[in-house]
Amino acid sequence: MTVMDALPPVHGAPGPSAETTAPLAGGVVPPATTARLFLAADPTFAAHRAVYGPMPSIEHPNALVDELRLSGLDGRGGAGFAVWRKVAAVRNSSARRSKRPIVVANGSEGEPLSRKDETLMRRAPHLVIDGLLACAAVVGATDATLYVSTEGANVMRAAMAERADAAHVAVVVAPDGFVTGEATAVANALEHGVSVPRDHVVHLSESGVRGRPTLVQNVETLAQLALIARFGAAWFRSIGTADEPGTRVVTVSGAVDIPQVIEVAGGTPIRAIIDACMRPDHTLAGSLIDGSATPLSATEGRPSPVRAVLVGGYHGGWVPGDRLSVPLSRAELAPYGAQPGAGVLFVLGATACGLETSANIAAYLAGQSAGQCGVCVNGLPAMADVLSRLAARHRDARLPAEITRLADLVTGRGSCSHPDGTARFVLSSLTAFETDVRAHLEGRCEVHG
């Protein structure tokens, strides 16, 4: 199986447990384990209400915005913007312009290595719906849309059929593609039926779908928001670190025994998460999401030591195998050109060449351009081609400098962030596999000889 092949998720929940929390009014006990999002026995509305209780009415929208600010929740779709700022911007824009806003739950999940949104919609669809309806109430929207994959559309429609309060929510099936989940591409899809990004001259909070203030939030972000609306910011921050509060859902794949979708505490070291997938008998203190964790096959055996880990997905960065004590934290990952992003950890085993793997990913990203800007149409294929020549061990000492030149050339010049993310990934590859770059320029490979 190659890096381009998506691996099915298997579920677990490593991470420290919070102290027991007292029940709220109505007898609902706030979750006290790391597996906060996956506690319902099944995806039905009855099972959801049995664990989480009813969603409180949003009588004071500003109070929830303030609670989101205190929680430190950031977006789980990749960019990591502060959620309260996006919500407040749409709310303020709507009031100032007297235009009714639109809210969108984004579960398109165009990142090839991510399965967290699909898993969340399949296992906890009602938390997503709760969060979407709460956002709509806060900003004063009457139009709410679920923009999801085909599978996500099926499970979300089934969940919505169980509850009267979601009858007005529209479901739109997102096309496959890496950039189709970008926020402005979502807005274009809803308005024009074409999922391509638009220029960021005017922010969506000012003018999005049909010129109305538009709030696009990832489905995991909305699920986390639904819990904060119930249990508050202090409860949310009772797990995680000061800089990375709460939990996040992570997809772990690659050279591991058990590919998994795992809910982890913010700031958990990368090594600890990978260890939970390397050894079937090992988890950190916490509850398993379900009991389906099994090895991929009896013949694969235990993988070789880790060479590097791609953190954040195809627009992320490589963390070398001897640096895996680094926490899953924006600040700690910054030196590697990475961030938690969409919660992707792809493990590269010691028998795989990092430059070859990176060249394959760069070629994929070059082919995922929306075709609107010359920087993507011409720049990304050129950069991917030079990286491919380096991976193929062409003895040309100018190749690394040319890759860097092209990365600098495309950065900041596209209508969307696709060229920036691709350039960041490619530069991370040169840094993480620096010694192998030198070997390849001499016609050798550290892995293949």
Side-chain angles (χ1 to χ4, degrees):
M1 185 168 288
T2 70
V3 68
M4 305 302 293
D5 297 318
L7 294 173
V10 187
H11 317 289
S17 298
E19 295 180 1
T20 302
T21 310
L24 300 177
V28 177
V29 178
T33 68
T34 305
R36 295 172 163 187
L37 297 168
F38 298 94
L39 292 178
D42 57 56
T44 64
F45 193 38
H48 167 76
R49 291 283 293 266
V51 173
Y52 300 110
M55 186 69 180
S57 59
I58 310 299
E59 298 179 359
H60 304 287
N62 286 334
L64 180 52
V65 173
D66 197 48
E67 206 69 16
L68 291 172
R69 179 182 62 82
L70 294 171
S71 74
L73 175 66
D74 59 18
R76 301 301 200 241
F81 293 119
V83 172
W84 79 271
R85 290 187 184 277
K86 290 181 67 173
V87 174
V90 171
R91 180 172 166 80
N92 294 339
S93 176
S94 175
R96 185 177 65 255
R97 301 175 60 215
S98 299
K99 284 196 172 185
R100 186 74 71 175
I102 294 172
V103 295
V104 183
N106 187 1
S108 54
E109 201 160 40
E111 165 61 55
L113 294 177
S114 179
R115 288 295 177 270
K116 74 176 184 68
D117 292 344
E118 172 191 321
T119 302
L120 184 64
M121 289 186 287
R122 181 163 45 85
R123 293 295 307 274
H126 292 287
L127 279 178
V128 176
I129 296 172
D130 283 350
L132 178 61
L133 297 179
C135 269
V138 169
V139 302
T142 54
D143 289 344
T145 300
L146 283 157
Y147 179 80
V148 295
S149 63
T150 300
E151 181 175 344
N154 294 334
V155 298
M156 296 308 294
R157 285 193 181 105
M160 289 161 53
E162 296 185 89
R163 47 195 296 178
D165 59 352
H168 67 290
V169 176
V171 177
V172 175
V173 176
D176 292 332
F178 190 82
V179 300
T180 58
E182 194 268 345
T184 63
V186 175
N188 264 344
L190 298 183
E191 184 172 0
H192 304 296
V194 181
S195 299
V196 295
R198 61 173 69 165
D199 276 326
H200 293 179
V201 177
V202 179
H203 198 275
L204 291 180
S205 62
E206 289 292 325
S207 180
V209 180
R210 298 186 295 278
R212 293 158 60 182
T214 301
L215 177 64
V216 180
Q217 295 282 24
N218 172 259
V219 292
E220 184 196 340
T221 307
L222 293 172
Q224 299 279 10
L225 185 152
L227 295 184
I228 293 170
R230 281 178 167 89
F231 308 125
W235 167 84
F236 181 78
R237 299 187 72 98
S238 66
I239 283 179
T241 65
D243 293 337
E244 298 290 338
T247 66
R248 67 170 57 246
V249 185
V250 178
T251 309
V252 187
S253 64
V256 293
D257 283 328
I258 311 174
Q260 295 187 59
V261 171
I262 307 174
E263 186 176 8
V264 303
T268 299
I270 293 173
R271 171 66 70 188
I273 301 172
I274 293 173
D275 279 349
C277 303
M278 289 292 199
R279 297 185 290 167
D281 61 339
H282 174 72
T283 59
L284 303 180
S287 302
L288 285 177
I289 292 173
D290 66 29
S292 64
T294 54
L296 284 175
S297 71
T299 60
E300 291 192 44
R302 191 164 306 284
S304 302
V306 175
R307 182 169 176 79
V309 175
L310 179 58
V311 180
Y314 282 6
H315 275 176
W318 292 102
V319 176
D322 60 353
R323 298 288 189 272
L324 299 186
S325 60
V326 64
L328 199 60
S329 154
R330 181 186 294 267
E332 298 288 345
L333 289 169
Y336 304 96
Q339 59 182 0
V344 168
L345 298 180
F346 175 79
V347 181
L348 188 74
T351 59
C353 173
L355 292 176
E356 291 177 358
T357 301
S358 296
N360 288 338
I361 294 174
Y364 167 83
L365 292 173
Q368 288 295 304
S369 165
Q372 299 184 111
C373 308
V375 67
C376 270
V377 173
N378 301 311
L380 298 191
M383 186 168 57
D385 178 68
V386 180
L387 183 59
S388 293
R389 281 189 276 154
L390 178 61
R393 306 180 221 177
H394 286 211
R395 299 191 182 196
D396 185 344
R398 298 170 297 177
L399 294 179
E402 178 62 5
I403 292 171
T404 300
R405 185 187 74 83
L406 290 169
D408 290 342
L409 186 65
V410 303
T411 299
R413 299 193 180 185
S415 292
C416 69
S417 60
H418 184 51
D420 296 35
T422 303
R424 184 171 56 247
F425 165 76
V426 169
L427 292 176
S428 170
S429 303
L430 294 184
T431 301
F433 307 112
E434 181 180 7
T435 58
D436 209 18
V437 168
R438 293 195 295 269
H440 276 232
L441 292 174
E442 296 172 357
R444 300 180 295 104
C445 176
E446 287 185 341
V447 175
H448 301 308

